[in-house]
Amino acid sequence: MTEVSKPKLSATSGENINKTKIFIYSLSCVLSMVLFFAYNSTDSILNDDGMNYIYAAHAIAEGLPEQAKSYRPETLFYSQITLIATLTGLDLYPSAQLLSLFWQTLLACGFIAIIRSFDTSMQSQLIALAVFFSMMSLNDLRPEIIRGFGFWALQLWGVWAGLKYFKSRLWRFGLLWLGLSGLSILYRAEGLVYFALIPFLILLN
């Protein structure tokens, strides 16, 4: 019986895929920054939780952890704000905005990473970006200082790692999913649901 060989990607095809990948992720980053600054310029009022995070970050900077917890219990989140302020020399509010922008950008790239797991065509990815960046419920939150951006960014990248594990059965992706899901729980306790659900799906598979 004649064995049918699988088609191989040419060097040109592989190069085009890499160029598409670089372009789509770069576009995700640029659009995240544009929308972040656009919405921040039209909404100068900080959300109540955001104010408490700033107060808590200031208390941490002053060496008052108990006072910080009286504002908000999420020590990990506002400690990152304090750390960024220390490393960059920025005030606490711009440091919190920088942290928020980082997670918003990672969230957009995570969304595209999942789309690329199913379809790497440029048209599909551009449509996915259009859908993602047109979600008003998400865009309205961009000026706010919330843990949700970090939580969902980690969750999306965790899903991507889970999909890669399903396809390749390489343990490095399984461990990556484990690490990302574990980190997301530090942002929000409901991450435990996703943490338990994916192993259950693996067992079913």
Side-chain angles (χ1 to χ4, degrees):
M1 177 180 287
T2 304
E3 183 178 349
V4 179
S5 60
K6 295 181 179 179
K8 295 182 179 180
L9 288 175
S10 65
T12 304
S13 298
E15 185 178 345
N16 289 336
I17 290 174
N18 286 332
K19 286 182 178 179
T20 300
K21 182 179 180 180
I22 292 171
F23 171 78
I24 204 71
Y25 280 121
S26 298
L27 183 59
S28 300
C29 293
V30 169
L31 289 175
S32 293
M33 289 188 284
V34 168
L35 286 179
F36 175 80
F37 288 111
Y39 276 84
N40 268 277
S41 66
T42 58
D43 188 355
S44 59
I45 300 175
L46 186 60
N47 57 311
D48 292 339
D49 284 347
M51 288 294 298
N52 287 329
Y53 286 132
I54 300 299
Y55 292 144
H58 181 267
I60 284 289
E62 296 295 317
L64 302 170
E66 293 305 318
Q67 181 179 339
K69 289 180 182 178
S70 69
Y71 293 115
R72 295 293 304 185
E74 299 88 357
T75 309
L76 173 68
F77 182 67
Y78 55 75
S79 292
Q80 291 175 327
I81 299 173
T82 305
L83 177 62
I84 292 173
T86 302
L87 294 176
T88 62
L90 295 172
D91 291 335
L92 289 171
Y93 180 44
S95 297
Q97 289 182 307
L98 186 61
L99 179 63
S100 184
L101 175 58
F102 169 77
W103 285 122
Q104 288 178 36
T105 304
L106 210 61
L107 177 65
C109 290
F111 180 78
I112 284 299
I114 292 175
I115 296 299
R116 287 180 56 82
S117 296
F118 298 99
D119 191 344
T120 57
S121 68
M122 178 64 80
Q123 182 181 12
S124 297
Q125 292 175 80
L126 289 175
I127 291 173
L129 279 183
V131 171
F132 180 84
F133 286 107
S134 65
M135 291 190 292
M136 295 305 298
S137 57
L138 172 63
N139 292 330
D140 288 339
L141 293 175
R142 291 185 184 277
E144 300 185 3
I145 308 302
I146 57 175
R147 292 172 295 135
F149 289 120
F151 172 77
W152 286 112
L154 289 168
Q155 281 293 326
L156 283 183
W157 279 105
V159 170
W160 170 82
L163 291 171
K164 294 288 285 186
Y165 173 74
F166 275 126
K167 288 184 177 181
S168 66
R169 296 299 178 183
L170 295 174
W171 277 105
R172 66 172 180 267
F173 292 114
L175 293 175
L176 182 59
W177 163 78
L178 190 66
L180 292 171
S181 298
L183 284 174
S184 74
I185 295 172
L186 297 178
Y187 277 84
R188 282 189 171 180
E190 55 263 40
L192 283 168
V193 176
Y194 302 95
F195 195 73
L197 184 60
I198 290 183
F200 176 71
L201 293 176
I202 291 174
L203 290 174
L204 288 180
N205 188 58

